Amino acid sequence: MSHKNLVFNNQKFYGRKIRKYQGKKYIQPPEKIYESMYSRVYKCEENVYKTVKVSHFFRDNFRLMTSRSKSYDEIKGNRFLKKIGVTVPKIKFWGVAPLSNTANELLIIENLRDHLPIEHHTAEFRLNGKLDSILKQVASDINLMASHGAIYRDLHFQNVMSTIDGDVCWIDTGLKYIRSLKKLNHKLKVKIQVLKRDMYESGLLSAAEWQGFYEQLEYGR
């Protein structure tokens, strides 16, 4: 059945700007896989559920009414990337709970069951002979985003996933849009240096693997 509104963890969320949800109307939280000061993330076989915490009652609820909420940024980025040809997961539902003191947004996203975060699985990809092609695809996607005036707000290899066969998909799709090419290159260069620290200097990538990735970049060098 399809539903415009859902009840998740006994809290009602009103559907916003996403087609009606094809699934259960009343959902109890499955396995929790992550929690931060901003959100909680749960996962079942088919879906990932993200609830956004209320950290400031008046500010967060005001943002729900002005398309400036935390989930809206992710949804906008997801649509943008899909439009330019970057692979992203399907967002199945976006709901809001106005005037809530606990969680005021719910995202339901397809569970990428066959994908693994690149940062934590370089050894498996290398063993399967796919790591170099995965890194090449990631660099190509970064170039494509930059050529359209966008960079990832949280650019790290936990937010890039791949199948063992090398099919890359980007998650947590909050983007920063920058008109100035000079400013974009400067900000992206800083993020690439963080990637270098996380992936090469930590030993997750060899010098040759990092250099191969870096040489593919057309922006942020």
Side-chain angles (χ1 to χ4, degrees), residues 8-159:
F8 183 83
N9 195 22
N10 301 316
Q11 182 178 6
K12 189 170 185 178
F13 292 89
Y14 299 88
R16 294 280 302 274
K17 298 182 180 181
I18 297 286
R19 65 179 65 86
K20 290 183 179 180
Y21 178 64
Q22 304 292 325
K24 295 180 180 180
K25 182 174 183 178
Y26 297 92
I27 304 169
Q28 287 301 313
E31 174 193 6
K32 184 169 69 174
I33 60 172
Y34 175 79
E35 181 169 357
S36 71
M37 63 184 297
Y38 303 110
S39 63
R40 294 185 179 93
V41 180
Y42 308 84
K43 181 176 71 172
C44 69
E45 186 70 12
E46 296 296 329
N47 299 317
V48 172
Y49 304 86
K50 179 188 290 187
T51 57
V52 178
K53 297 179 180 180
V54 175
S55 54
H56 189 287
F57 179 83
F58 292 106
R59 180 195 63 203
D60 292 350
N61 283 287
F62 174 74
R63 286 178 173 174
L64 287 182
M65 300 181 289
T66 58
S67 295
R68 293 172 54 232
S69 68
K70 295 171 184 174
S71 291
Y72 180 76
D73 185 51
E74 182 170 349
I75 292 166
K76 180 182 177 183
N78 182 283
R79 290 172 173 168
F80 177 89
L81 293 177
K82 184 177 180 180
K83 183 177 180 179
I84 67 173
V86 176
T87 302
V88 291
K90 178 182 179 182
I91 296 179
K92 299 182 178 182
F93 179 81
W94 173 34
V96 301
L99 304 182
S100 171
N101 285 297
T102 53
N104 66 353
E105 294 185 86
L106 168 68
L107 278 178
I108 302 179
I109 306 165
E110 71 169 311
N111 181 15
L112 301 171
R113 288 174 288 179
D114 298 324
H115 288 71
L116 301 169
I118 294 174
E119 183 166 335
H120 302 302
H121 297 276
T122 54
E124 291 96 319
F125 295 133
R126 186 182 296 111
L127 185 63
N128 206 45
K130 293 293 184 179
L131 183 56
D132 288 342
S133 62
I134 288 171
L135 294 174
K136 183 177 180 180
Q137 182 60 55
V138 171
S140 176
D141 286 345
I142 291 173
N143 291 336
L144 184 57
M145 294 178 213
S147 71
H148 286 82
I151 59 176
Y152 244 66
R153 289 185 183 275
D154 196 11
L155 180 60
H156 55 70
F157 278 22
Q158 294 181 46
N159 280 341

